[in-house]
């Protein structure tokens, strides 16, 4: 129970405080209850002084039993009963003037005294049921006090009012509209944020794609201004320096008739293009000692290693290995892949057949060649043909083999191992099988071609060779030996046989001489002669005669036209191959 509530409204006799009034703010004021007062029975509170209580009538309505006077010193003596309390200080009461209220229980002096503030013990408000009862009592008492003011005026205090929010019929609509507006604004802002995020992400992705694309084009050599060689399929140009190539050299040895045929296998891993580059035997090379020789003579004399180094020096390329392929192994290779198809350009007679019988290889489109017929076609050279004609047939056969070879490195390696060849130490079975499998894949996809290296009559490279093959296909730079380094020989054909000029050229080039075309004589002559103009070239003229199979009596001093050191006139006594 709330002590203050009980003291003001007739609580238990043990209460320590009693209500004596309200201040100007409507707050209740209490004073301690003396022990004697606590022993006296309390009467129920009558706000209108119609019931007996403490004899205290705040509105001077005339309480019937005045309460005993308050003794602040607890002397036990009965103090005179004070007149009823006048809260308005008018000093008028029923039955005569009332003395001023003494809050300390002292008797006021006669006459009207100035009103002083009442000192009371203030207890903070409590919560719970007791606090609610106390608040209810305050409102009830305050209302009663205002209703019975003598002047009829009412004074209101904040404690007398209860503020209640009246429901507004439009409030829910306003709240909904505010919520809708706020949500729509938030959605717009969120949409803008998402749009900005997407835009930033798109810009980043496009930048990465652009950088990656430029990097790829740079790696592939396809950036504008850096290109020089056209791609076989797309026609786009690729910078030669940015391309990666794998190169091996192949020497076909004709074990039955003699002679060699040489080609380069090139795999351009940048442009995804494969190429067979055919090298004429008349190509002039430089030996380690600085002397000049021909490709054919280098293969016979210097072998694989020396020839590979000489080719690297002349073509400016990097050959990774040498594959010596004798004709019996070529025959076995064609049989292992299951025959090949070639567009043959000549009828090849069977050397074992009688005259007048059908050729071993017929001229025509898509001719099926077995191992034996493939070797016959790859090594065939008709009477009067240049060596380049036979070289091109060799290239056709090799490309046909690549189209039939497996593109799987393991299977291709097994095929190479089945041949049981003795390979160059720098080229193992696995390396060769893997390399050939890549070229086979190019050949089957149509990304393969065959090119002939252009060589001039003196065995040096032409300008066309430098641009079309050496630079574009091999990615190198032509470095032909100096013509002055070799003894130049001018040859005039007076034998009456046109093919003898080519045969003599090959022999001279293989002998390390520089060949110059001297034309064909208007009439044939019986004997050959070798002429030198400078005495210093006498020894060279003698060496030329031996190379051509002529006797020493054919060597003579005379006039040599042009830039040649030695001039040769071939007569009917010249026998090709006798050298």
């Amino acid at each position: 129970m709330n002590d203050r509530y009980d003291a003001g409204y007739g609580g238990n006799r043990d209460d320590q405080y009693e209500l004596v009034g309200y201040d100007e703010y409507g707050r209740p004021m209490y004073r301690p209850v003396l022990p004697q007062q606590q022993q006296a029975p309390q009467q129920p509170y009558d706000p209108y002084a119609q019931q007996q209580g403490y004899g205290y009538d705040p509105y001077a309505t005339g309480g019937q039993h005045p309460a005993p006077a308050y003794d602040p010193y607890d002397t036990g003596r009965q103090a005179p009963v004070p007149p009823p309390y006048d809260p308005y200080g008018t000093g008028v009461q029923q039955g005569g003037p009332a003395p001023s209220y003494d809050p300390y229980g002292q008797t006021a002096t006669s006459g009207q005294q100035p009103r002083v503030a009442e000192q009371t013990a203030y207890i903070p408000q409590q919560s719970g049921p007791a606090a609610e009862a106390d608040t209810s009592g305050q409102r009830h008492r305050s209302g009663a006090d205002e209703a019975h003011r003598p002047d009829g005026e009412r004074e209101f205090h904040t404690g007398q009012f209860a503020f209640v929010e009246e429901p507004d019929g439009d409030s829910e609509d306003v709240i909904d509209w505010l919520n809708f507006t706020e949500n729509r604004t938030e959605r717009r802002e969120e949409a803008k944020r998402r749009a900005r995020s997407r835009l930033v992400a798109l810009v980043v992705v496009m930048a990465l794609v652009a950088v990656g694309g430029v990097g790829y084009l740079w790696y592939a050599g396809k950036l504008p201004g850096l290109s020089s060689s056209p791609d076989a399929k797309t026609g786009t140009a690729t910078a030669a320096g940015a391309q990666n190539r794998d190169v091996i050299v192949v020497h076909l040895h004709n074990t039955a008739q003699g002679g060699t045929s040489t080609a380069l296998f090139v795999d351009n891993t940048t442009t995804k293009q494969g190429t067979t580059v055919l090298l004429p035997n008349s190509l002039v090379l430089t030996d380690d000692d600085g002397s000049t020789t021909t490709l054919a003579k280098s293969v016979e004399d210097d072998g694989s290693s020396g020839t590979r180094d000489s080719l690297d020096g002349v073509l400016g390329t990097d050959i990774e290995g040498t594959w010596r392929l004798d004709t019996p192994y070529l025959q076995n290779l064609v049989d292992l892949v299951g025959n090949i198809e070639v567009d043959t350009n000549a009828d090849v007679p069977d050397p074992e057949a009688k005259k007048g019988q059908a050729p071993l290889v017929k001229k025509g489109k898509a001719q099926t060649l077995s191992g034996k017929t493939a070797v016959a076609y790859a090594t065939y050279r008709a009477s009067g043909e240049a060596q380049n004609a036979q070289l091109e047939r060799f290239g056709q056969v090799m490309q046909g083999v690549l189209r039939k070879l497996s593109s799987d490195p393991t299977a291709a390696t097994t095929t190479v191992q089945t041949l049981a060849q003795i390979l160059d130490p720098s080229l193992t079975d696995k390396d060769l099988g893997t390399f050939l499998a890549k070229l086979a894949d190019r050949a089957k996809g149509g990304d393969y071609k065959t090119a002939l290296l252009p060589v001039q009559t003196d065995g040096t490279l032409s300008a066309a060779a430098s641009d079309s093959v050496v630079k574009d296909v091999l990615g190198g730079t032509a470095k032909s030996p100096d013509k002055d380094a070799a003894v130049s020989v001018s040859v005039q054909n007076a034998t009456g046989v046109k093919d003898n000029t080519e045969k003599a050229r090959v022999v001279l080039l293989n002998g390390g001489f520089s060949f110059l075309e001297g034309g064909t004589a208007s009439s044939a002559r019986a004997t050959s002669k070798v002429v030198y103009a400078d005495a210093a070239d006498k020894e060279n003229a003698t060496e030329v005669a031996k190379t051509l199979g002529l006797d020493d009596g054919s060597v003579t001093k005379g006039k040599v036209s042009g830039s040649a050191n030695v001039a040769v006139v071939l007569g009917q006594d010249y026998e090709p191959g006798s050298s």
Side-chain angles (χ1 to χ4, degrees):
M1 296 296 292
N2 192 312
D3 295 338
R4 290 174 293 174
Y5 178 87
D6 295 336
Y9 298 100
N12 297 327
R13 295 179 181 272
D14 297 334
D15 293 340
Q16 300 297 321
Y17 299 90
E18 68 175 349
L19 179 67
V20 297
Y22 296 86
D23 61 7
E24 60 271 22
Y25 298 101
R27 295 177 295 188
M29 296 181 295
Y30 304 90
R31 67 180 179 183
V33 180
L34 298 177
Q36 293 180 354
Q37 293 175 320
Q38 293 176 356
Q39 295 175 1
Q42 296 183 2
Q43 300 296 328
Y45 167 66
D46 182 5
Y48 299 100
Q50 295 177 359
Q51 297 180 3
Q52 295 181 358
Y54 294 104
Y56 157 55
D57 183 5
Y59 297 101
T61 55
Q64 297 178 2
H65 302 282
Y70 165 57
D71 185 3
Y73 302 100
D74 195 17
T75 59
R77 296 191 298 268
Q78 184 70 27
V81 178
Y85 167 63
D86 182 6
Y88 300 99
T90 59
V92 180
Q93 58 179 338
Q94 295 179 5
S100 300
Y101 167 67
D102 187 1
Y104 299 99
Q106 299 177 0
T107 306
T109 59
S110 61
Q112 185 174 356
Q113 299 296 327
R115 186 176 182 182
V116 296
E118 299 171 348
Q119 298 182 7
T120 60
Y122 175 72
I123 306 299
Q125 297 290 337
Q126 299 181 5
S127 60
E132 293 178 1
D134 189 11
T135 304
S136 176
Q138 294 176 19
R139 290 197 299 267
H140 182 66
R141 185 63 174 270
S142 176
D145 293 344
E146 295 295 337
H148 293 80
R149 287 184 57 175
D151 54 6
E153 296 181 359
R154 300 185 64 182
E155 181 177 359
F156 299 97
H157 304 285
T158 57
Q160 299 176 242
F161 297 94
F163 297 94
V164 180
E165 294 183 0
E166 295 294 335
D168 189 355
D170 297 333
S171 60
E172 292 296 332
D173 296 338
V174 172
I175 293 174
D176 292 343
W177 170 255
L178 292 176
N179 291 336
F180 170 74
T181 305
E182 183 179 1
N183 292 337
R184 184 172 62 176
T185 303
E186 292 179 353
R187 287 195 299 269
R188 288 179 177 175
E189 293 298 328
E190 183 64 23
K192 291 180 180 179
R193 285 193 295 269
R194 287 197 300 266
R196 285 193 296 267
S197 300
R198 293 193 186 102
L199 180 60
V200 171
L202 179 61
V203 171
V204 172
V205 171
M206 292 180 64
L208 293 176
V209 171
V211 172
V214 172
Y216 170 76
L217 292 177
W218 173 83
Y219 175 78
K222 297 181 180 180
L223 286 177
L226 299 178
S227 303
S228 60
S229 59
D231 183 83
K233 294 183 70 176
T234 63
T236 57
T238 304
Q243 300 177 16
N244 181 47
R245 300 172 179 85
D246 297 326
V247 183
I248 67 170
V249 59
V250 182
H251 298 300
L252 176 65
H253 288 255
N254 189 343
T255 58
Q257 302 175 5
T260 60
S261 302
T262 303
L264 297 178
F265 282 177
V266 182
D267 178 24
N268 192 322
T269 59
T270 302
T271 61
K272 311 299 182 183
Q273 176 70 43
T275 307
T276 297
V277 179
L278 304 174
L279 305 181
N281 283 335
S282 60
L283 176 65
V284 176
L285 303 178
T286 303
D287 289 335
D288 294 337
D289 57 0
S291 62
T292 59
T293 185
T294 61
L295 175 59
K297 188 172 181 61
S298 177
V299 173
E300 294 292 341
D301 297 344
D302 299 337
S304 300
S305 178
T307 303
R308 181 171 67 245
D309 294 340
S310 298
L311 287 174
D312 284 339
V314 171
L315 303 177
T317 186
D318 183 15
I319 300 174
E320 301 173 7
T322 301
W323 182 20
R324 172 169 176 155
L325 184 63
D326 294 349
T327 49
Y329 293 115
L330 175 60
Q331 179 175 338
N332 294 337
L333 179 60
V334 174
D335 291 337
L336 285 173
V337 298
N339 299 337
I340 61 175
E341 290 186 356
V342 177
D343 294 337
T344 57
N345 56 19
D347 290 334
V348 179
D350 187 354
E352 298 178 358
K354 296 180 180 180
K355 187 176 181 179
Q357 292 184 348
L360 181 64
V361 178
K362 292 183 178 180
K363 179 181 179 180
K365 295 285 186 180
Q367 295 294 314
T368 301
L369 302 180
S370 63
K372 179 181 178 180
T373 56
V375 170
Y377 183 76
T379 58
Y380 176 71
R381 179 180 176 185
S383 177
E385 282 187 336
Q387 192 259 339
N388 290 347
Q390 175 268 320
L391 192 61
E392 290 177 351
R393 295 186 184 103
F394 168 57
Q396 286 181 285
V397 170
M398 294 308 298
Q399 187 167 346
V401 170
L402 291 175
R403 284 196 296 263
K404 292 297 294 292
L405 189 67
S406 175
S407 300
D408 179 63
T410 303
T413 301
T414 301
T415 301
V416 172
Q417 292 173 343
T418 305
L419 295 176
Q421 291 179 280
I422 299 177
L423 298 176
D424 186 87
S426 62
L427 191 65
T428 64
D429 293 341
K430 183 178 180 181
D431 292 340
L432 179 58
T434 302
F435 180 79
L436 293 178
K438 294 179 180 179
L439 292 181
D441 187 63
R442 308 269 192 255
K444 294 174 183 178
D447 300 322
Y448 201 93
K449 64 181 180 180
T450 300
L452 176 66
L453 179 68
V455 175
Q456 300 182 101
T457 56
D458 60 353
T460 60
L461 297 175
S462 64
S466 300
D467 294 337
S468 62
V469 178
V470 177
K471 184 178 181 181
D472 296 341
V473 178
L474 299 177
T477 302
K479 299 177 182 179
S480 292
D482 188 2
K483 294 181 181 180
D484 297 334
V487 177
S488 59
V489 180
S490 174
V491 178
Q492 183 183 38
N493 187 1
T495 62
V497 180
K498 185 178 180 180
D499 189 39
N500 286 342
T501 302
E502 178 63 21
K503 293 178 179 180
R505 185 182 73 86
V506 172
V507 171
L508 290 174
L509 291 175
N510 290 338
F513 298 99
S514 177
F515 177 83
L516 296 176
E517 178 67 44
T520 302
S522 57
S523 60
R525 57 177 297 168
T527 59
S528 302
K529 67 177 182 177
V530 179
V531 182
Y532 64 93
D534 192 349
D537 290 328
K538 181 179 180 180
E539 184 178 354
N540 292 331
T542 302
E543 187 66 25
V544 168
K546 292 180 180 180
T547 301
L548 293 175
L550 304 176
D551 54 32
D552 293 341
S554 62
V555 178
T556 182
K557 184 176 181 181
K559 183 179 180 181
V560 178
S561 61
S563 60
N565 301 109
V566 178
V568 176
V569 178
L570 296 177
Q572 293 178 342
D573 61 344
Y574 170 67
E575 298 180 1
S578 60
S579 58

